[in-house]
mmCIF file of all heavy atoms in Angstrom:
data_model
loop_
_atom_site.group_PDB
_atom_site.id
_atom_site.type_symbol
_atom_site.label_atom_id
_atom_site.label_comp_id
_atom_site.label_asym_id
_atom_site.label_seq_id
_atom_site.Cartn_x
_atom_site.Cartn_y
_atom_site.Cartn_z
ATOM 1 N N GLN L 57 17.631 9.828 -8.429
ATOM 2 C CA GLN L 57 18.205 10.209 -7.146
ATOM 3 C C GLN L 57 17.539 9.387 -6.044
ATOM 4 O O GLN L 57 16.314 9.265 -6.008
ATOM 5 C CB GLN L 57 17.981 11.692 -6.873
ATOM 6 C CG GLN L 57 18.630 12.165 -5.585
ATOM 7 C CD GLN L 57 18.147 13.538 -5.175
ATOM 8 O OE1 GLN L 57 16.992 13.737 -4.829
ATOM 9 N NE2 GLN L 57 19.041 14.501 -5.253
ATOM 10 N N ILE L 128 -5.070 -4.633 -2.621
ATOM 11 C CA ILE L 128 -3.842 -5.340 -2.244
ATOM 12 C C ILE L 128 -2.932 -4.396 -1.468
ATOM 13 O O ILE L 128 -2.368 -4.753 -0.433
ATOM 14 C CB ILE L 128 -3.125 -5.868 -3.500
ATOM 15 C CG1 ILE L 128 -4.021 -6.815 -4.276
ATOM 16 C CG2 ILE L 128 -1.827 -6.571 -3.123
ATOM 17 C CD1 ILE L 128 -3.507 -7.134 -5.672
ATOM 18 N N LEU L 278 2.485 -6.018 -21.714
ATOM 19 C CA LEU L 278 1.079 -6.236 -22.075
ATOM 20 C C LEU L 278 0.152 -5.848 -20.931
ATOM 21 O O LEU L 278 -0.860 -5.176 -21.126
ATOM 22 C CB LEU L 278 0.845 -7.704 -22.431
ATOM 23 C CG LEU L 278 1.157 -8.163 -23.842
ATOM 24 C CD1 LEU L 278 0.827 -9.651 -23.983
ATOM 25 C CD2 LEU L 278 0.384 -7.347 -24.865
#
Side-chain angles (χ1 to χ4, degrees):
Chain L
Q57 183 193 67
I128 301 167
L278 276 181

